[in-house]
Amino acid sequence: MKILGLKVDVDTLRGYREGVPNLLGLLEELSVKASFFFSMGPDNSGKALVRVFRPGFLEKMRRTSAVSTYGWRTLLYGTLLPAPLIVESAPGILRDAARKGHDCGVHAWDHVKWQDRLPKLPVTTLEADFRRAFDLFSQRTGKAARACAAPGWQVTEESLRVQEELKLDYCSDTRGAFPFLPRWGNKVFRTPQIPSTLPTMDEVLGRGGLEGSRLAEHLLGLLREGLNVFTLHGEMEGMGQLGVFREFLTRARDQGVRCVPLSTVAQALDPETLPVCPVRMCPIEGRAGRVATQIIEEEPAA
């Protein structure tokens, strides 16, 4: 059976306030649940423009029509415009996602700070930002977050250690092929990783004419037997590419693909039998910079 784990990363104020309600409506219409990971604190998206110096960044901005996707205000937050608080601007959206039965967790306190500066952040800053994000999540939902997903698939040994101390059910910080326990250097961490196995829409959009129905067909063709994990974004699939995502999800469901949140995947995992795999920062096609990648040294036994 083909299983499609749905992971929604919410990076910006616009993605939260506009994209998430759109996705909640679509998922309710199709009777599908997903995992939502929320950036809890300030939207500092304007500071991300320093990525212009990374190879491939400008090409990706062009392919994905970043200005229309994110909007000019978003691209100025934290620089020429003050950085607005994301969840606190409308806490009801987070509560609505949880009330509708979706798996909800933490993406970050400050998405841009994590994605662009993680290796330089002191452990005390990581701990403080995690604490702020998880405390706010609990205050606004009445429940403790049981999972998190690192912005931009950026991890360090220190970030994995801080997550480990939270005793989460799972994390989804990596790109890879199947669930595993991460090893960084000689240290094995016991929090299961459920990696994104499929390319994101913004990594393939516009490449070789992949748009609209052709893009939906391409993503369908990538689904394999067993677990597939697709990461989507409130700013893209929740807004400008909502129609493409609707087509992809509808056709997948009609073809018998079982669509589930990552919490359902996590519940079926036994950490005692999960394979241990190294995690390394590697380049990935269609994305600027490097991302945390599962290194498969030996395929797990069937």
Side-chain angles (χ1 to χ4, degrees):
M1 172 183 284
K2 294 179 180 178
I3 300 171
L4 178 59
L6 294 172
K7 170 178 174 267
V8 184
D9 286 352
V10 184
D11 300 349
T12 67
L13 180 68
R14 191 179 187 201
Y16 177 70
R17 297 192 62 133
E18 299 180 40
V20 171
N22 289 341
L23 288 170
L24 291 176
L26 173 60
L27 294 171
E28 186 170 23
E29 175 187 331
L30 298 179
S31 299
V32 170
K33 302 299 183 188
S35 293
F36 284 80
F37 294 94
F38 295 90
S39 296
M40 302 295 296
D43 183 348
N44 273 305
S45 296
K47 295 179 180 178
L49 291 181
V50 297
R51 297 175 201 159
V52 71
F53 298 106
R54 294 181 185 174
F57 180 74
L58 288 178
E59 191 271 339
K60 180 188 171 190
M61 292 277 284
R62 178 193 60 78
R63 278 192 300 103
T64 59
S65 302
V67 173
S68 60
T69 297
Y70 293 95
W72 276 112
R73 292 186 64 84
T74 299
L75 298 179
L76 296 175
Y77 284 148
T79 55
L80 297 181
L81 292 176
L85 293 177
I86 297 175
V87 168
E88 286 295 75
S89 74
I93 296 174
L94 169 60
R95 285 195 292 267
D96 197 33
R99 181 182 61 80
K100 290 179 181 293
H102 296 284
D103 174 34
C104 295
V106 168
H107 199 27
W109 174 253
D110 183 329
H111 186 282
V112 171
K113 180 167 74 171
W114 181 290
Q115 183 168 349
D116 291 349
R117 297 171 50 202
L118 178 62
K120 299 178 180 179
L121 295 178
V123 172
T124 53
T125 298
L126 288 177
E127 292 171 337
D129 280 359
F130 265 121
R131 185 165 54 251
R132 283 194 288 184
F134 277 78
D135 284 352
L136 181 59
F137 184 98
S138 297
Q139 292 167 16
R140 295 300 174 234
T141 66
K143 299 179 180 179
R146 300 300 311 149
C148 67
W153 299 276
Q154 300 297 302
V155 306
T156 61
E157 182 175 0
E158 290 76 15
S159 72
L160 292 172
R161 181 182 63 76
V162 174
Q163 287 176 334
E164 184 98 325
E165 293 171 355
L166 294 170
K167 300 186 183 305
L168 302 172
D169 294 337
Y170 73 91
C171 292
S172 186
D173 304 325
T174 57
R175 307 295 288 264
F178 49 79
F180 67 102
L181 297 180
R183 185 177 81 228
W184 190 284
N186 295 321
K187 171 66 175 176
V188 175
F189 295 92
R190 305 303 301 177
T191 305
Q193 283 283 338
I194 303 178
S196 299
T197 67
L198 297 170
T200 62
M201 193 176 286
D202 63 342
E203 290 166 0
V204 295
L205 177 63
R207 301 174 71 92
L210 290 178
E211 297 179 358
S213 292
R214 287 190 62 190
L215 177 53
E217 181 69 27
H218 176 75
L219 293 172
L220 281 168
L222 296 177
L223 298 179
R224 63 183 186 181
E225 291 297 316
L227 177 63
N228 306 267
V229 176
F230 180 58
T231 296
L232 56 144
H233 292 84
E235 298 78 14
M236 181 158 287
E237 287 87 346
M239 297 174 61
Q241 300 300 320
L242 183 64
V244 177
F245 180 60
R246 174 192 292 274
E247 181 176 350
F248 166 62
L249 192 56
T250 300
R251 292 179 61 184
R253 191 192 60 169
D254 290 348
Q255 291 175 13
V257 176
R258 184 185 175 206
C259 301
V260 299
L262 300 193
S263 55
T264 297
V265 178
Q267 288 166 10
L269 300 178
D270 179 0
E272 297 304 316
T273 61
L274 277 179
V276 173
C277 297
V279 173
R280 297 178 191 151
M281 302 304 293
C282 301
I284 193 167
E285 187 175 7
R287 183 165 294 278
R290 298 173 181 267
V291 300
T293 303
Q294 174 189 20
I295 304 301
I296 302 171
E297 298 175 325
E298 182 178 335
E299 288 286 347

